[in-house]
Short mmCIF file of all heavy atoms in Angstrom, two decimals:
data_model
loop_
_atom_site.label_atom_id
_atom_site.label_comp_id
_atom_site.label_asym_id
_atom_site.label_seq_id
_atom_site.Cartn_x
_atom_site.Cartn_y
_atom_site.Cartn_z
N THR D 1026 102.11 120.24 123.36
CA THR D 1026 103.60 120.15 123.57
C THR D 1026 103.95 119.66 124.99
O THR D 1026 105.06 119.93 125.46
CB THR D 1026 104.24 121.53 123.36
OG1 THR D 1026 103.58 122.50 124.21
CG2 THR D 1026 104.10 121.99 121.91
N GLU D 1071 80.50 104.32 142.21
CA GLU D 1071 80.45 105.59 142.95
C GLU D 1071 81.59 105.77 143.92
O GLU D 1071 81.74 106.84 144.52
CB GLU D 1071 79.12 105.71 143.74
CG GLU D 1071 77.86 105.36 142.97
CD GLU D 1071 77.64 106.29 141.76
OE1 GLU D 1071 77.91 107.50 141.89
OE2 GLU D 1071 77.22 105.82 140.72
N ARG D 1122 94.51 89.62 127.17
CA ARG D 1122 93.24 89.41 126.46
C ARG D 1122 92.74 88.00 126.74
O ARG D 1122 93.51 87.12 127.00
CB ARG D 1122 93.42 89.65 124.92
CG ARG D 1122 94.62 88.90 124.29
CD ARG D 1122 94.14 87.72 123.52
NE ARG D 1122 95.18 86.89 123.00
CZ ARG D 1122 95.70 85.84 123.61
NH1 ARG D 1122 95.33 85.53 124.84
NH2 ARG D 1122 96.56 85.08 123.03
N PRO D 1155 125.82 100.81 108.41
CA PRO D 1155 125.03 99.68 107.90
C PRO D 1155 123.78 99.45 108.77
O PRO D 1155 123.80 99.64 109.98
CB PRO D 1155 126.01 98.49 108.05
CG PRO D 1155 126.94 98.89 109.14
CD PRO D 1155 127.06 100.37 109.13
N TRP D 1166 107.71 83.74 116.35
CA TRP D 1166 109.08 83.42 115.95
C TRP D 1166 109.43 82.02 116.46
O TRP D 1166 109.77 81.15 115.69
CB TRP D 1166 110.06 84.49 116.52
CG TRP D 1166 111.47 84.32 116.10
CD1 TRP D 1166 111.96 84.40 114.82
CD2 TRP D 1166 112.57 83.98 116.96
NE1 TRP D 1166 113.34 84.17 114.84
CE2 TRP D 1166 113.73 83.91 116.13
CE3 TRP D 1166 112.73 83.78 118.33
CZ2 TRP D 1166 115.01 83.65 116.65
CZ3 TRP D 1166 114.00 83.51 118.83
CH2 TRP D 1166 115.10 83.42 117.99
N LYS D 1177 98.86 79.84 124.19
CA LYS D 1177 99.43 80.00 122.85
C LYS D 1177 100.91 79.62 122.80
O LYS D 1177 101.56 79.74 121.76
CB LYS D 1177 99.30 81.47 122.38
CG LYS D 1177 97.84 81.88 122.09
CD LYS D 1177 97.42 81.40 120.71
CE LYS D 1177 95.94 81.69 120.50
NZ LYS D 1177 95.58 82.40 119.31
N TYR D 1223 100.49 102.89 125.31
CA TYR D 1223 101.59 103.06 126.30
C TYR D 1223 101.89 101.76 127.01
O TYR D 1223 102.66 101.77 127.97
CB TYR D 1223 101.23 104.15 127.30
CG TYR D 1223 101.33 105.55 126.70
CD1 TYR D 1223 100.27 106.11 125.96
CD2 TYR D 1223 102.47 106.34 126.88
CE1 TYR D 1223 100.36 107.40 125.43
CE2 TYR D 1223 102.58 107.62 126.33
CZ TYR D 1223 101.53 108.13 125.62
OH TYR D 1223 101.60 109.39 125.09
N TRP D 1253 104.95 101.13 114.84
CA TRP D 1253 104.15 102.11 115.55
C TRP D 1253 102.99 102.55 114.64
O TRP D 1253 103.20 102.78 113.43
CB TRP D 1253 105.05 103.27 115.93
CG TRP D 1253 104.42 104.30 116.85
CD1 TRP D 1253 103.92 104.03 118.11
CD2 TRP D 1253 104.22 105.70 116.60
NE1 TRP D 1253 103.45 105.22 118.66
CE2 TRP D 1253 103.62 106.23 117.75
CE3 TRP D 1253 104.51 106.52 115.53
CZ2 TRP D 1253 103.30 107.60 117.85
CZ3 TRP D 1253 104.20 107.87 115.61
CH2 TRP D 1253 103.59 108.40 116.78
N LEU D 1392 108.92 115.89 105.28
CA LEU D 1392 108.20 115.35 106.46
C LEU D 1392 109.15 115.06 107.61
O LEU D 1392 108.73 114.83 108.72
CB LEU D 1392 107.44 114.08 106.07
CG LEU D 1392 106.29 114.26 105.04
CD1 LEU D 1392 105.59 112.89 104.82
CD2 LEU D 1392 105.28 115.30 105.51
N LYS D 1449 100.06 85.11 99.34
CA LYS D 1449 101.14 85.73 98.55
C LYS D 1449 102.33 84.78 98.45
O LYS D 1449 103.29 85.11 97.73
CB LYS D 1449 101.59 87.05 99.19
CG LYS D 1449 100.57 88.22 99.02
CD LYS D 1449 101.20 89.50 99.49
CE LYS D 1449 100.22 90.65 99.40
NZ LYS D 1449 100.76 91.89 99.96
N MET D 1474 119.71 92.30 96.35
CA MET D 1474 119.23 93.20 97.37
C MET D 1474 120.35 93.68 98.26
O MET D 1474 120.45 94.86 98.60
CB MET D 1474 118.17 92.47 98.20
CG MET D 1474 117.62 93.24 99.40
SD MET D 1474 116.52 92.15 100.35
CE MET D 1474 115.92 93.27 101.59
N SER D 1496 102.07 82.60 109.45
CA SER D 1496 100.85 82.70 110.20
C SER D 1496 101.18 83.00 111.64
O SER D 1496 102.10 82.37 112.21
CB SER D 1496 100.05 81.38 110.17
OG SER D 1496 99.09 81.36 111.23
N PHE D 1556 127.30 95.84 88.27
CA PHE D 1556 127.52 97.24 88.73
C PHE D 1556 128.62 97.29 89.77
O PHE D 1556 129.05 96.27 90.25
CB PHE D 1556 126.20 97.86 89.29
CG PHE D 1556 125.55 97.09 90.40
CD1 PHE D 1556 126.05 97.21 91.73
CD2 PHE D 1556 124.40 96.35 90.21
CE1 PHE D 1556 125.42 96.52 92.75
CE2 PHE D 1556 123.77 95.68 91.23
CZ PHE D 1556 124.27 95.79 92.53
#
Side-chain angles (χ1 to χ4, degrees):
T1026 56
E1071 312 299 322
R1122 50 103 185 92
W1166 184 65
K1177 291 280 174 127
Y1223 286 83
W1253 189 60
L1392 296 181
K1449 287 189 184 174
M1474 175 185 185
S1496 161
F1556 57 77

